[in-house]
């Protein structure tokens, strides 16, 4: 029997996002309707990401992709690697843009959204939708 879902989401393995990502998926109506790829660096390994997306598209006929990278990602060397928050933010947005363009080249009909996650000093996680 065919079983389909609407969304595909890729995010970092970082444990600090565990609860927040579950809440995000629930709030956005994705929980139970998405394939989830959790991999260090989010979109960093685009070959792996595309491989997973191929399976998701062919098997579950997903229609929308959400790419989520985050600030202070250890897979990219953490915030210390950047001279400012703005520089790091721009870098992560660029990373997601590159992944988005690879996905659209291969699957022009897929909607692709990018989200930047930030951990607040309180531990709360803010999800910023990026129009990139
Ligand atoms: Zn990370």
């Amino acid at each position: 029997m065919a079983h389909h879902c609407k969304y595909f989401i890729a995010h970092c393995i970082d444990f600090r996002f565990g609860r927040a990502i579950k809440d995000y998926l629930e709030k956005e109506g994705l929980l139970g309707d998405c394939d989830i790829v959790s991999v260090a660096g989010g979109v960093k390994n685009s070959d792996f990401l595309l491989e997973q997306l191929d399976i998701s598209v062919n098997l579950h006929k997903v229609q929308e992709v959400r790419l989520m990278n985050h600030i202070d990602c250890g897979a990219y060397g953490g915030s210390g690697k950047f001279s400012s928050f703005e520089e790091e933010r721009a870098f992560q947005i660029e990373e997601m843009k590159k992944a988005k363009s690879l996905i659209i080249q291969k699957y022009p009909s897929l909607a692709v959204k990018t989200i930047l996650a930030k951990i607040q000093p309180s531990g709360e996680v803010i999800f910023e939708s990026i129009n990139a």
Side-chain angles (χ1 to χ4, degrees):
M1 195 176 101
H3 43 277
H4 298 159
C5 69
K6 188 170 179 190
Y7 304 97
F8 173 96
I9 184 167
H11 63 74
C12 185
I13 60 168
D14 198 315
F15 70 94
R16 294 174 294 175
F17 295 102
R19 169 60 57 189
I21 281 185
K22 191 170 173 282
D23 291 346
Y24 170 85
L25 295 176
E26 201 151 30
K27 194 174 136 251
E28 295 282 317
L30 277 67
L31 202 60
D33 199 16
C34 70
D35 286 335
I36 302 171
V37 172
S38 183
V39 60
V43 306
K44 191 172 185 213
N45 184 342
S46 54
D47 289 341
F48 177 78
L49 194 65
L50 281 170
E51 216 176 270
Q52 299 302 306
L53 183 59
D54 286 344
I55 295 168
S56 187
V57 166
N58 292 319
L59 202 60
H60 298 151
K61 314 293 178 208
V62 296
Q63 299 159 39
E64 185 178 312
V65 174
R66 304 258 177 125
L67 303 175
M68 183 185 290
N69 267 25
H70 71 98
I71 295 299
D72 195 28
C73 184
Y76 285 98
S79 288
K81 197 186 144 199
F82 302 92
S83 62
S84 67
F85 171 77
E86 288 70 28
E87 184 192 327
E88 182 176 12
R89 182 177 178 278
F91 174 85
Q92 290 298 349
I93 289 171
E94 195 51 43
E95 282 289 292
M96 291 191 287
K97 266 175 144 175
K98 281 192 263 176
K100 179 178 176 174
S101 116
L102 288 172
I103 289 168
I104 288 172
Q105 265 175 41
K106 193 160 187 190
Y107 298 106
S109 67
L110 280 182
V112 183
K113 293 183 176 172
T114 52
I115 300 118
L116 185 65
K118 290 168 272 189
I119 305 169
Q120 302 299 94
S122 65
E124 185 198 352
V125 179
I126 305 288
F127 297 101
E128 180 191 1
S129 286
I130 306 291
N131 292 316

